[in-house]
Structure formats: C-alpha cells, structure tokens
C-alpha cells in the first residue's frame, strides 16, 4: 500500500474517533465535526505524527482551560451562557494558527 494512502487512512480513522467523541460530548456541532476531522487528518498526513500530537495536545489543553474558565464564571454568576458546541469557525480559529506555525 502507498505510504501516503496508508497515512491518510490511519489519520482519518483516528480523527473520526476523536470527532465522534467531541460530537457526543457536545463540544462541536456538525460543521465543527467535519472541519476538525478534515483539518486534523490533513495535519496528520502532511506534517506527520509529531506535529499532530503537538496540535492535538494544544487543542485539548485550550478546550479544558476554556471549560474550567466557563464553569468558574458560571459559579460567580457573571457568565452568559452561549452555544457551547463549537462550529466550524471556532474550530478553525483555535486550530489553524497552530497548524500553520
């Protein structure tokens, strides 16, 4: 099997699993799901696994810190609840800069 095709399939399966988990936990909406799967698959295929691990770690850390901050604000009562699911633009906004650099 061609190495590029093999990395594409491996990257797609890994990111499909991540995407389903994020969608089931209501972290992303349908557009964020598809954007994340495509973007992170491309990162895995073209930048290889070290860059993939770095950007996924960054994505998880920022997501956790935002959730902690939102819960803290909610406990203080100065938090306006907004749509928690991340759409395509928020997924790209949080990931694309890290992927480019």
């Amino acid at each position: 099997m061609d190495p590029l095709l093999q990395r594409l399939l491996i990257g797609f399966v890994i990111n499909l699993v991540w995407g389903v988990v994020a969608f089931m936990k209501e972290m992303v909406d349908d557009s964020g799901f598809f954007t994340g799967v495509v973007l992170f698959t491309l990162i895995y295929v073209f930048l290889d696994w070290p860059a993939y691990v770095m950007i996924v770690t960054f994505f998880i850390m920022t997501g956790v810190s935002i959730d902690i901050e939102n819960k803290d604000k909610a406990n203080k009562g100065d938090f306006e609840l907004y749509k928690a699911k991340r759409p395509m633009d928020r997924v790209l906004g949080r990931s694309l800069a890290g992927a480019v650099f």
Side-chain angles (χ1 to χ4, degrees):
M1 179 182 280
D2 182 38
L4 183 62
L5 179 61
Q6 184 179 11
R7 286 196 349 201
L8 179 65
L9 291 174
I10 291 169
F12 179 73
V13 169
I14 290 169
N15 290 296
L16 188 62
V17 170
W18 277 109
V20 168
V21 169
F23 188 77
M24 297 300 284
K25 290 186 163 250
E26 296 185 343
M27 297 174 69
V28 294
D29 66 4
D30 53 350
S31 67
F33 167 79
F34 291 114
T35 303
V37 169
V38 169
L39 179 64
F40 285 98
T41 299
L42 292 175
I43 290 170
Y44 181 82
V45 169
F46 293 109
L47 299 178
D48 211 4
W49 69 268
Y52 177 80
V53 169
M54 184 174 61
I55 194 73
V56 167
T57 303
F58 172 76
F59 191 78
I60 291 170
M61 287 173 30
T62 57
V64 169
S65 65
I66 288 169
D67 289 341
I68 290 170
E69 181 182 8
N70 289 345
K71 287 178 185 174
D72 186 49
K73 286 181 180 180
N75 290 337
K76 291 180 181 177
D78 61 352
F79 177 69
E80 289 185 34
L81 188 59
Y82 63 92
K83 185 177 175 184
K85 294 182 181 181
R86 293 170 183 92
M88 176 181 66
D89 57 343
R90 289 182 63 201
V91 170
L92 285 175
R94 287 183 46 208
S95 330
L96 199 55
V100 169
F101 291 107

